[in-house]
Amino acid sequence: MADALKAQGNKAFQAGQFEEAIKHFTEAINLDPSNHVLYSNRSASHASLSQYDDALQDAEKVVELKPDWGKGYSRLGAAHHGLQQLDEAVSAYEKGLTYDPQSAALKQSLSEAKQAQSRPQRGAPGNMFGPEFMAKLHMNPQTRPLLSQPDFMAMLQDMGKNPANMSKYLGDSRLQQALSVGLGFNMMSGDNFKKEQGMNGAGASATAGQEEEEEDDDDDSMPDLEPAEPVNTAQAAPAKAAPAKPSKPAEPEPESEEQREHKAKAQRKEQALEEKEQGNAAYKAKNFDVAIGHYDKAYELYDEDISFLTNRAAVQFEKGSYEECIADCDKAVERGRELRADYKLVAKAFSRKGNALVKTDKLPEAISVYHKALTEHRNADTLKRLQDTEKLLKDRTEEAYVNLDLSNEEKEKGNQVNTDDLRVDSFW
């Protein structure tokens, strides 16, 4: 099932339907959360939409799951590049080359990142083709080959130095394609532009060719879109148009049991989400019992969304019902594992459990749970809570040692007094 969803995501990516691709990859990740290739492909899809923060999170998950895979660092570098974090981009590409020293893509990306470091940063005059523009070209499978063409790069550098020189190159179809992808300019007209938009840049010049990356056997890189085979109109056209015959409207086929169940499930999910919205509104109004009632109903209607449980846990926390909060978080983690839910939701459940454990003064257990949350998803807020809890535990431990020393000292004084009394009694 996950492989089928991955294939659908790849197909959508090739067609330039990046949001649709993200949807398919996310569903596949829910089924197979340890598959590094799925995060890699979703990272590429986010980057193609300039969603570089999300692309970076997925890229970080890739190198976490498979730290010796060169392409993971390529994704990481591209995300950093898109965020204008050029030092981090260079570092990522260099580390990727330590695992895959023959990767032409990593070498090219490293060269581009270093060139970007030496150029004025975004916002400087004349820097129309800055790092974000180059990152978009790099992440698009149809424009990426252009970056390896010296004459194309020289053309961009010339226009970067003097934007007025763009008029000299407007007839170059490669520039038209690059502007469509990198800047969103409609520099093409008629059928060519429609084809460009529909195929996400499949009209590159012949010299660009189609990209064929050499990858490891476990890579599932998203190949370029193959052009559709031409339709043979001579064969397709009928010899003579047949007169239209009136026909009865087709009767709808009866729904199968599976179709009825699917429709009913979709309706229950919709109702559950409505209950969740009402619960959220009640929570914001501090009507905690009302909010819990809505989250209860939502989970009864549809138990495949653990956010109903984590939201209920948040309400229990606000009420001071910490044991109930912990129970909801445990249930959310257990159910999330069964559903292979998004790792961010599982991390949220762990984090909220950690907060409740701190409130119940179970600091060592809270620290352990925060570590589990960070293993699922590295979040700045959770990391800070972990550090604060570790410091609190350390301070209390040191204070306990001091108090123990004082207690022993007082005990020793008491023993000495008793000994002196015994000596006096024996003398008399």
Side-chain angles (χ1 to χ4, degrees), residues 30-52:
N30 290 338
L31 296 175
D32 189 5
S34 62
N35 189 330
H36 64 282
V37 175
L38 297 175
Y39 294 98
S40 173
N41 289 0
R42 190 171 70 175
S43 177
S45 302
H46 279 305
S48 297
L49 292 170
S50 299
Q51 298 170 352
Y52 295 115

Side-chain angles (χ1 to χ4, degrees), residues 182-193:
L183 298 177
F185 285 2
N186 180 353
M187 299 297 296
M188 307 181 74
S189 59
D191 295 338
N192 285 338
F193 180 69

Side-chain angles (χ1 to χ4, degrees), residues 44-147:
S45 302
H46 279 305
S48 297
L49 292 170
S50 299
Q51 298 170 352
Y52 295 115
D53 284 321
D54 292 329
L56 180 60
Q57 287 188 6
D58 277 341
E60 289 175 340
K61 189 68 175 179
V62 175
V63 298
E64 175 189 326
L65 291 171
K66 193 167 179 62
D68 60 347
W69 191 42
K71 188 160 187 178
Y73 296 95
S74 177
R75 299 293 191 218
L76 188 63
H80 280 305
H81 200 150
L83 292 168
Q84 311 300 308
Q85 299 167 352
L86 300 178
D87 291 341
E88 290 85 347
V90 168
S91 177
Y93 292 135
E94 288 177 341
K95 189 166 185 179
L97 285 169
T98 64
Y99 296 108
D100 188 4
Q102 304 304 320
S103 171
L106 279 168
K107 291 177 181 177
Q108 178 68 29
S109 298
L110 176 60
S111 175
E112 292 163 6
K114 287 184 175 180
Q115 289 177 16
Q117 281 181 317
S118 63
R119 291 196 297 265
Q121 293 300 303
R122 185 180 179 186
N127 192 27
M128 182 180 184
F129 307 103
E132 184 173 350
F133 178 88
M134 301 301 291
K136 288 182 179 180
L137 297 192
H138 177 73
M139 295 307 302
N140 187 291
Q142 278 71 44
T143 55
R144 190 184 306 150
L146 300 178
L147 301 177

